[in-house]
Amino acid sequence: MQETNQILCKSLDCSHNLTHLRVRTCSKDVLGVTPEAWKSCAKSGETRLSVPLVEDIIDKQSVPNARTHFSEDVEKWMIEHGFIKESKFVSLVRNWYDASDTPGISACDRVDKLLAFRKFLLEDVDFSSFPPNTRYFKGLPCVTFEGILIDIDTKIQMHALTSAYNIRAVGSLAAESMVGILQAMYPNPQVSIKARDVPGLMSTAVEIMTCKSNQNR
């Protein structure tokens, strides 16, 4: 960052990327996999994956639903029924998200899982080709594709920048939660916050959080 002469690491929260992958694989051919694998699995009734989760894509922003979509039992079902590419994709996505969210995993295992998904995403991608990719990379929206890669790279780079860090601390969710709190405090929650009102809202929010964090209050 030029103003502070410090490195500024950026990351798009992995939970958003996970739910985007679920929605995309329910409706479109993407990254070499087809939604028919998940639809067939849901219709079989042999896993926790249900038809409404796949065909109606209910609760698109739900992480638990996305975890079910990329769960181990879905992967095993796909292997047993010949959806090999899709089963590999399910495994890669699940391992990538586990590396970004699950506690108790060693740093080496986390990096291995992150790199495996990164390698899969960049396979056969030629950034020197013309015309360049614009909105999509292999059927995946550019925002999601680049967001996942940025998140992976940032989490790997953090190991070199710090001695240790909380894997869940890397992401945009904390900032989004803060904006949500400020919006809820705004006199008219239906109207977007004006820039001139942010300092006053921030001071109120900080005062409230300071009081909540005081054990002797």
Side-chain angles (χ1 to χ4, degrees):
M1 191 173 182
Q2 189 172 1
E3 289 81 0
T4 61
N5 198 30
Q6 294 180 338
I7 297 175
L8 179 62
C9 298
K10 296 184 178 181
S11 175
L12 183 65
D13 199 83
C14 59
S15 61
H16 294 325
N17 291 325
L18 180 71
T19 54
H20 291 172
L21 287 173
R22 174 211 166 196
V23 171
R24 199 68 186 175
T25 52
C26 282
S27 55
K28 302 285 185 181
D29 288 2
V30 56
L31 297 170
V33 300
T34 172
E36 292 305 318
W38 282 272
K39 291 179 180 179
S40 298
C41 180
K43 291 176 181 177
S44 72
E46 298 174 6
T47 68
R48 292 176 297 156
L49 193 65
S50 64
V51 173
L53 287 177
V54 178
E55 296 193 350
D56 299 329
I57 323 179
I58 59 173
D59 203 354
K60 295 181 180 180
Q61 299 302 314
S62 169
V63 171
N65 287 348
R67 294 298 297 262
T68 298
H69 192 78
F70 297 108
S71 61
E72 189 173 355
D73 57 340
V74 170
E75 177 192 350
K76 290 179 179 178
W77 188 94
M78 289 180 175
I79 293 174
E80 292 171 358
H81 293 81
F83 295 103
I84 305 303
K85 287 183 179 180
E86 287 78 7
S87 67
K88 178 183 177 182
F89 183 75
V90 168
S91 176
L92 286 168
V93 172
R94 185 179 65 256
N95 289 336
W96 156 73
Y97 190 77
D98 284 345
S100 301
D101 186 70
T102 303
I105 300 177
S106 70
C108 290
D109 286 343
R110 289 189 194 278
V111 171
D112 286 342
K113 293 175 187 293
L114 294 173
L115 287 176
F117 195 38
R118 186 181 190 276
K119 180 180 179 181
F120 173 81
L121 290 174
L122 292 176
E123 190 175 6
D124 300 325
V125 174
D126 184 6
F127 292 105
S128 65
S129 64
F130 189 86
N133 290 283
T134 51
R135 294 180 59 191
Y136 297 95
F137 280 87
K138 295 193 278 188
L140 193 65
C142 179
V143 173
T144 303
F145 181 85
E146 293 181 351
I148 295 173
L149 290 175
I150 289 172
D151 179 63
I152 290 174
D153 288 350
T154 295
K155 285 171 178 171
I156 294 175
Q157 291 165 1
M158 287 290 288
H159 286 289
L161 297 172
T162 64
S163 57
Y165 71 96
N166 185 338
I167 193 73
R168 290 183 175 178
V170 182
S172 55
L173 212 55
E176 293 172 31
S177 298
M178 189 63 192
V179 172
I181 292 171
L182 297 182
Q183 185 67 61
M185 294 170 55
Y186 202 54
N188 187 351
Q190 304 303 320
V191 178
S192 297
I193 301 172
K194 292 182 173 59
R196 66 171 181 266
D197 298 324
V198 171
L201 291 170
M202 284 292 294
S203 64
T204 302
V206 169
E207 185 174 353
I208 293 173
M209 292 306 299
T210 300
C211 180
K212 287 183 176 181
S213 301
N214 184 2
Q215 296 180 356
N216 300 318
R217 66 182 183 277

